[in-house]
Amino acid sequence: MLVARGLRRLEVAARRALHGFVFPRSAASGMALPGTAARFHDYDAAVTSCIERRALREGRQVHARMIKARYRPPVYLATRLVIMYIGCDALEDARNVLDGMPERSVVSWTAMISGYSQTRRRVEALELFIQMLRTGCKPNEFTLATVLTSCCGPEGIHQVKQVHSLAVKTNFESHMFVGSSLLDMYAKSENIQEAHRVFDMLPERDVVSCTAIIYGYARQGLDQEALDLFRKLYSEGMQCNYVTFTALVTALSGLASLDCGKQVHGLILRKELPFFVVLQNSLIDMYSKCGKLLYSRRVFDNMPEKSVISWNAMLMGYARHGLGNEVIRLFKDLREEVKPDSVTLLAVLSGCSHGGLVDEGLDIFDIILKEQSAFLNPGHYGCVIDLLGRSGRLEKALNLIENMPFLPTPAIWGSLLGACRVHANVHVGELVAQKLLDMEPENAGNYVILSNIYAAAGMWKDVFKVRKLMLEKTLSKEPAQSWIILDKVIHTFHSSERFHPSKKDIDAKIKEIYVDIKASGFVPDLSCVLHDVDEEQKERMLLGHSEKLAITFGLMNTPPGFIIRVIKNLRICVDCHNFAKFVSKVYRREISLRDKNRFHLLRDGGCTCGHYW
DNA sequence: AACAATGCTA
């Protein structure tokens, strides 16, 4: 029985994955309606049949027949009606039946709460749950597991804690379904310690709880921890299904570890799982974030069925790598297969921006404005402002911000400020910076860019003013770090790294490189240093940047001709970008640099970003 | 009646 249920769940999941959550409905009516003299068993059989076939129209007829015959269904049968309506996505009808019930069972309440939960109507789910408690009905393990999935709004953590305490009182805390849901919700509200504590308390570790905790780490960006935990649980014999692998692959996208990614992909292939769109989508994304677009494309091309997300993941991959023409080509193919959504449009605009296809991007934006403007959100405008900024049309960008149907977000102003830096426009830059500093006075990055703009214009007095402002506010930015993966070992570097075991060798090598590239024309960009120190010290500080250390380490530890893949957690600094360009030329090495936003592929002194990022 | 679930830009 249990096994059969498990298999059905799997099948349901597979169908959902394949058909994008749309269940096939029964086509023709094949059921005789209960007659006027019908009794409980006749109605029960009819409603059950409708539940199984998700036959809404017939269900309504049965319900109407009951009313017409003045038949008052007992709690059980009325509950079945609620379940029937929910299964047919007719939530309002279900609610009407529930509200009309003189008595309700735990099952009736829970079914309705579950209906709201599954359709993301969280507020209604929680309100109904509270109403249920007020009437004195005691929740059971089904209710708690269900209602928890609705505790993920902004107030989520408080709600989770309340339901948690209720679970403790009712002794369901360690119930597998309740516990899994609980740990997942803690993880979703960024409370991974508590999530792990709940996980450790569960009587056993099943696929769902293991997957939820691994996903929890991956979602927080604790990718290394997610991978380590998977390794541990896997060696302890944990069961895996396609959701587990989806979680794992997501963690690997964050780590950008191509070797681990390939290894896990191999493991997945050996498991001979049936086809799941979701898992394949995560593989497309993983390979593109590891810098292997060819593999992404191979996964993409081999999919027997694609969802719009598959296309979007592939588009984003091309966009991240600055391959604008590929984005536009794939977008054309996409429109013949699926309906674009707002993420598709974002990917296309972002692809045009990263690929330097300014006019093409603006044309596409015009078409979108005419045909699908309902899809547009501030993000799309952000991409277009970036596009205008790239081509130096800063006034136009400013104009668009003022006339768009949204309030500008800090990110949008930030994008324009970056453009002002690239095009050395102090006038617009000051204007934009003023808005931005008002909105996020604590964001150190904005001060840095403004001071870069002043520095590029030689306005040293103003540079000093901005620095002073920063010092007064004692702002600190997220510490920069870069990493490189060699032989499946992750080597992480921080600025002015002091603890790496190869520190001495790296220092020696970086000085050697410095001499070589300077001889080829490299000039350090001192405006990248914001500390008020003398020039010699500035040069020394620049050499300590984490991406330079990682590149140097890669150059030392890989054979000639080997591509150096470095990942950075923030945007790459101008001086380091220049450094990498010269290294690629002088040492004849390709360098793939993934920063927070995109890939830079440096080859023979040039970069795929076109020097705008 | 119930737990985990892919893509998101400057």
Side-chain angles (χ1 to χ4, degrees):
Chain A
M1 181 62 195
L2 262 177
V3 175
R5 233 176 91 178
L7 279 177
R8 230 179 78 190
R9 288 178 56 83
L10 193 72
E11 192 195 298
V12 166
R15 277 226 309 258
R16 282 183 179 207
L18 275 173
H19 299 287
F21 292 93
V22 178
F23 284 94
R25 284 168 191 274
S26 68
S29 134
M31 180 195 64
L33 275 179
T36 37
R39 308 198 159 232
F40 174 81
H41 288 294
D42 306 304
Y43 286 123
D44 186 33
V47 174
T48 299
S49 161
C50 292
I51 291 174
E52 280 168 1
R53 294 176 300 122
R54 295 172 41 82
L56 178 58
R57 186 192 293 239
E58 291 172 36
R60 283 222 172 92
Q61 286 171 356
V62 176
H63 187 191
R65 188 59 61 89
M66 281 160 68
I67 294 168
K68 198 175 164 201
R70 293 177 188 279
Y71 175 77
R72 293 197 167 268
V75 177
Y76 171 82
L77 192 52
T79 304
R80 297 291 285 168
L81 275 175
V82 172
I83 293 166
M84 183 275 294
Y85 278 127
I86 290 169
C88 297
D89 302 325
L91 290 203
E92 305 319 317
D93 297 81
R95 185 62 195 258
N96 283 337
V97 176
L98 183 81
D99 286 344
M101 287 169 72
E103 269 182 83
R104 279 154 243 181
S105 66
V106 201
V107 182
S108 12
W109 287 108
T110 304
M112 195 65 228
I113 293 168
S114 149
Y116 286 135
S117 288
Q118 281 166 12
T119 48
R120 306 265 156 92
R121 290 164 68 167
R122 285 188 233 117
V123 178
E124 282 147 300
L126 290 169
E127 277 173 5
L128 198 65
F129 179 64
I130 291 165
Q131 200 185 323
M132 165 186 176
L133 296 178
R134 290 222 170 97
T135 62
C137 183
K138 288 220 165 29
N140 63 13
E141 65 273 37
F142 290 78
T143 325
L144 295 179
T146 302
V147 78
L148 275 167
T149 61
S150 282
C151 301
C152 52
E155 290 290 293
I157 185 65
H158 306 294
Q159 295 155 353
V160 174
K161 282 180 180 168
Q162 290 183 56
V163 179
H164 190 176
S165 68
L166 201 56
V168 173
K169 280 184 219 161
T170 45
N171 212 15
F172 288 126
E173 189 192 19
S174 304
H175 182 276
M176 287 307 287
F177 281 19
V178 178
S180 305
S181 202
L182 200 53
L183 84 83
D184 186 47
M185 293 329 284
Y186 273 123
K188 279 181 181 150
S189 48
E190 301 184 4
N191 204 332
I192 197 77
Q193 282 86 13
E194 188 62 18
H196 209 122
R197 205 188 63 77
V198 176
F199 178 68
D200 283 337
M201 231 176 42
L202 289 173
E204 52 176 309
R205 290 171 172 183
D206 67 352
V207 200
V208 175
S209 52
C210 290
T211 305
I213 190 74
I214 291 171
Y215 228 110
Y217 279 103
R219 203 173 3 232
Q220 303 280 300
L222 300 167
D223 303 301
Q224 183 66 58
E225 287 80 354
L227 179 59
D228 292 344
L229 186 60
F230 172 80
R231 284 201 176 117
K232 176 171 170 286
L233 295 173
Y234 191 75
S235 69
E236 289 167 11
M238 95 184 251
Q239 293 295 304
C240 300
N241 62 16
Y242 83 102
V243 186
T244 324
F245 287 120
T246 306
L248 186 57
V249 169
T250 304
L252 292 169
S253 324
L255 274 179
S257 167
L258 183 59
D259 287 338
C260 294
K262 283 202 252 184
Q263 206 174 21
V264 168
H265 192 184
L267 180 62
I268 293 168
L269 291 173
R270 267 176 274 134
K271 292 271 175 189
E272 299 187 326
L273 301 172
F275 171 75
F276 293 103
V277 184
V278 177
L279 178 55
Q280 300 299 315
N281 289 348
S282 72
L283 284 168
I284 294 175
D285 186 54
M286 185 270 287
Y287 278 126
S288 101
K289 285 179 179 160
C290 290
K292 266 285 179 184
L293 273 180
L294 218 61
Y295 290 2
S296 293
R297 189 62 198 240
R298 205 175 291 168
V299 173
F300 179 79
D301 285 337
N302 281 329
M303 287 167 76
E305 300 238 8
K306 299 181 181 76
S307 66
V308 66
I309 294 182
S310 328
W311 291 90
N312 291 347
M314 197 65 235
L315 282 174
M316 288 301 319
Y318 285 133
R320 253 194 292 276
H321 285 78
L323 299 173
N325 289 317
E326 292 296 330
V327 170
I328 288 179
R329 199 173 308 157
L330 197 70
F331 181 51
K332 283 204 182 101
D333 297 342
L334 174 150
R335 287 202 285 191
E336 289 171 16
E337 305 271 333
V338 291
K339 225 169 103 66
D341 67 5
S342 72
V343 178
T344 315
L345 304 181
L346 193 70
V348 174
L349 292 172
S350 152
C352 290
S353 170
H354 282 312
L357 303 178
V358 177
D359 295 322
E360 292 86 339
L362 293 174
D363 286 347
I364 291 176
F365 185 61
D366 275 339
I367 298 173
I368 298 172
L369 270 180
K370 283 196 194 95
E371 295 174 6
Q372 343 212 24
S373 59
F375 273 161
L376 292 175
N377 62 42
H380 299 101
Y381 282 89
C383 287
V384 179
I385 283 150
D386 204 50
L387 214 60
L388 289 168
R390 165 188 279 275
S391 65
R393 287 173 247 184
L394 301 174
E395 303 281 348
K396 270 207 168 119
L398 204 57
N399 198 23
L400 181 61
I401 294 183
E402 276 157 10
N403 290 308
M404 64 182 193
F406 299 100
L407 284 176
T409 60
I412 285 183
W413 288 121
S415 159
L416 189 52
L417 190 64
C420 292
R421 175 183 63 82
V422 174
H423 292 286
N425 187 324
V426 179
H427 172 64
V428 181
E430 281 182 330
L431 201 98
V432 173
Q434 195 52 58
K435 302 262 188 199
L436 205 49
L437 297 189
D438 283 346
M439 285 171 102
E440 350 173 88
E442 304 299 316
N443 186 337
N446 300 329
Y447 295 85
V448 175
I449 300 177
L450 179 60
S451 109
N452 284 339
I453 292 174
Y454 285 135
M459 300 165 66
W460 299 107
K461 250 191 193 162
D462 296 282
V463 174
F464 184 73
K465 226 164 54 192
V466 177
R467 280 180 199 159
K468 204 169 146 226
L469 209 60
M470 271 183 88
L471 278 177
E472 280 164 6
K473 289 176 175 281
T474 56
L475 295 177
S476 58
K477 63 181 177 78
E478 185 185 346
Q481 55 175 49
S482 300
W483 61 97
I484 181 167
I485 303 168
L486 302 169
D487 287 329
K488 294 189 193 111
V489 178
I490 301 175
H491 301 268
T492 308
F493 297 89
H494 300 92
S495 311
S496 308
E497 182 73 59
R498 272 173 294 181
F499 304 109
H500 197 277
S502 312
K503 180 186 172 347
K504 267 196 173 160
D505 297 338
I506 296 172
D507 280 355
K509 181 73 183 173
I510 208 165
K511 280 186 187 130
E512 189 191 313
I513 295 174
Y514 204 50
V515 173
D516 287 350
I517 61 177
K518 268 189 156 175
S520 278
F522 173 80
V523 181
D525 186 342
L526 300 183
S527 73
C528 292
V529 181
L530 291 173
H531 299 84
D532 195 25
V533 292
D534 63 53
E535 303 221 328
E536 201 177 310
Q537 175 126 24
K538 276 185 190 167
E539 281 198 49
R540 224 174 309 134
M541 291 180 85
L542 280 175
L543 277 183
H545 279 189
S546 64
E547 52 268 56
K548 290 197 185 82
L549 300 178
I551 291 171
T552 305
F553 190 71
L555 202 58
M556 289 160 60
N557 290 289
T558 52
F562 207 84
I563 182 166
I564 300 170
R565 295 181 186 277
V566 168
I567 303 115
K568 191 185 176 187
N569 66 334
L570 303 174
R571 268 199 191 189
I572 183 165
C573 103
V574 177
D575 186 63
C576 287
H577 191 266
N578 213 14
F579 175 90
K581 256 166 56 184
F582 275 88
V583 169
S584 78
K585 193 164 102 184
V586 173
Y587 295 90
R588 301 187 170 280
R589 283 291 196 111
E590 277 187 47
I591 300 172
S592 159
L593 231 155
R594 188 185 100 173
D595 73 7
K596 201 176 182 185
N597 299 329
R598 61 165 293 156
F599 275 91
H600 300 256
L601 187 62
L602 298 122
R603 187 190 295 157
D604 200 26
C607 181
T608 49
C609 75
H611 309 277
Y612 183 100
W613 71 95

